[in-house]
Amino acid sequence: MEKDDRQGVSTATLNALAPILKTTAVWLFAGAGPEELGENTASIGTPTEQVASEGIAITSEKMLPIPIIGQVEAGAFREAPEYDPDETRYIAAPPDRDFPHARRFSFDVSGDSMNDLKPRPLMPGDQVYGPVFDDIDHLVVLREGMIVVIEQTRDGGHTREWSVKQLEIYEDRYEFCPRSTNKKHKPIVVPNTVFRDPSEDDGRRVRILCLVKGSHSAFSY
């Protein structure tokens, strides 16, 4: 866990630890299903399958844990916190066949800046997830309509805003656009000459943090 300054445990590590600890990878990952490995649990090998009673979707495809690293909310600049792996929550999602070796992040959606996204909105309580853009930058051509999580930092990086936007591309600029019924939300416009330059005149830095490949919906009553 401490090798190369990495924090957390991979799925492969969970699968290797489970039989040694006489339990299942599902129990180590989600605390779901039987804790002790027995005759009826010997075939449960990955933190994916058949745990609907604990809130994990039943699927025939192997699911992998993705850490929820924070909240995306337009207009909310917050002090950049220290990452604490002990307090990290996870969602489970199928492997990314396009970018199988990239890290993936997930984010809690807050606010109404994407409540009019088509074909389906992103609502407060949803989660979005996808590959870390730094890991796939050399593999991806930015295209009109992509959904991305962007990071704006200011005050020398001490405060930041994470928000989810839809990309519009023009000859001289990128526009990261809200899709909202609330007209207070405005696009973030970045000239393409400075988009990948960390030093802008106003001290602000804008970068793509994550390419959104999927979402999980939550219902509140």
Side-chain angles (χ1 to χ4, degrees), residues 117-178:
L117 178 67
K118 303 294 190 298
R120 69 166 301 275
L122 294 174
M123 305 300 290
D126 288 354
Q127 280 126 10
V128 294
Y129 63 88
V132 176
F133 195 74
D134 283 349
D135 291 358
I136 64 171
D137 190 7
H138 60 295
L139 301 172
V140 172
V141 176
L142 293 177
R143 297 193 302 273
E144 186 93 3
M146 282 181 164
I147 309 299
V148 294
V149 172
I150 64 168
E151 177 184 69
Q152 289 194 94
T153 58
R154 62 188 188 191
D155 304 323
H158 294 293
T159 57
R160 71 183 181 201
E161 177 207 58
W162 287 347
S163 60
V164 59
K165 297 285 193 294
Q166 189 167 37
L167 178 62
E168 293 184 5
I169 300 176
Y170 298 90
E171 184 176 350
D172 61 342
R173 68 192 187 279
Y174 296 92
E175 292 194 8
F176 299 96
C177 299

Side-chain angles (χ1 to χ4, degrees), residues 51-117:
V51 212
S53 62
E54 298 291 338
I56 299 176
I58 294 176
T59 177
S60 60
E61 186 173 25
K62 182 170 74 170
M63 306 287 278
L64 300 175
I66 304 175
I68 302 171
I69 68 165
Q71 192 173 81
V72 286
E73 183 176 9
F77 274 89
R78 299 182 175 93
E79 185 176 353
E82 294 290 333
Y83 172 67
D84 186 349
D86 292 333
E87 297 183 0
T88 301
R89 297 178 294 123
Y90 295 82
I91 63 170
D96 189 327
R97 291 189 174 88
D98 295 326
F99 310 108
H101 303 297
R103 295 169 296 163
R104 289 192 291 178
F105 288 158
S106 178
F107 304 82
D108 289 319
V109 176
S110 183
D112 58 3
S113 66
M114 296 295 276
N115 69 356
D116 201 31
L117 178 67

Side-chain angles (χ1 to χ4, degrees), residues 23-24 33-45:
T23 186
T24 68
E35 177 180 356
E36 295 184 1
L37 191 63
E39 293 181 359
N40 296 327
T41 58
S43 64
I44 300 177

